[in-house]
């Protein structure tokens, strides 16, 4: 299993590689930390019930920060605020995140 880094103020900064891999009962995942900058490779690998990942208030996430993060997962949708849809479509391209996903509100 991977690791999750938490800043001194309690905000999640990093979700490590394989952090939630093989969590067969994981049905939903919502991150609200504005400090999140990195999601490691294969972070949600083989989580068959997880179809949607929601990001609320995440501002530091970049293209390099999600490299292959969804590879091997069953995630179909990434939900974000309406104002972030365009930038998150660039971040979560299949060539970058490792899986084709639909970014929506």
């Amino acid at each position: 299993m991977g690791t999750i880094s938490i800043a001194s103020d309690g905000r999640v900064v990093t979700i490590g590689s394989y952090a939630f891999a093989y969590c067969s009962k994981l049905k939903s995942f919502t991150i609200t930390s504005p400090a999140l900058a990195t999601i490691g490779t294969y972070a949600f690998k083989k989580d068959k019930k997880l179809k949607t990942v929601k990001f609320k208030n995440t501002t530091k996430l970049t293209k390099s920060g999600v490299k292959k993060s969804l590879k091997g997962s069953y995630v179909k949708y990434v939900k974000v605020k309406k104002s972030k849809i365009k930038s998150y479509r660039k971040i979560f391209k299949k060539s970058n995140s490792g899986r084709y996903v639909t970014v929506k509100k």
Side-chain angles (χ1 to χ4, degrees), residues 62-74:
T62 63
K63 205 171 181 181
S64 63
V66 298
K67 195 78 171 164
K68 296 184 181 176
S69 60
L70 300 179
K71 191 162 181 113
S73 77
Y74 291 85

Side-chain angles (χ1 to χ4, degrees), residues 30-86:
T30 302
I31 187 79
T32 58
S33 175
L36 181 67
T38 307
I39 302 173
T41 57
Y42 300 99
F44 303 103
K45 184 177 182 176
K46 301 288 184 183
D47 296 342
K48 291 184 179 183
K49 293 182 181 178
L50 182 64
K51 304 293 183 206
T52 304
V53 176
K54 298 176 188 173
F55 294 95
K56 296 181 178 180
N57 303 324
T58 332
T59 56
K60 294 186 178 184
L61 206 55
T62 63
K63 205 171 181 181
S64 63
V66 298
K67 195 78 171 164
K68 296 184 181 176
S69 60
L70 300 179
K71 191 162 181 113
S73 77
Y74 291 85
V75 174
K76 292 183 179 181
Y77 305 103
V78 171
K79 288 190 173 184
V80 296
K81 290 193 298 187
K82 188 176 181 179
S83 62
K84 299 278 185 183
I85 290 176
K86 189 175 181 179

Side-chain angles (χ1 to χ4, degrees), residues 12-28:
V12 175
V13 177
T14 303
I15 297 173
S17 297
Y18 297 94
F20 295 99
Y22 304 101
C23 294
S24 60
K25 295 185 180 184
L26 184 64
K27 291 183 180 180
S28 65

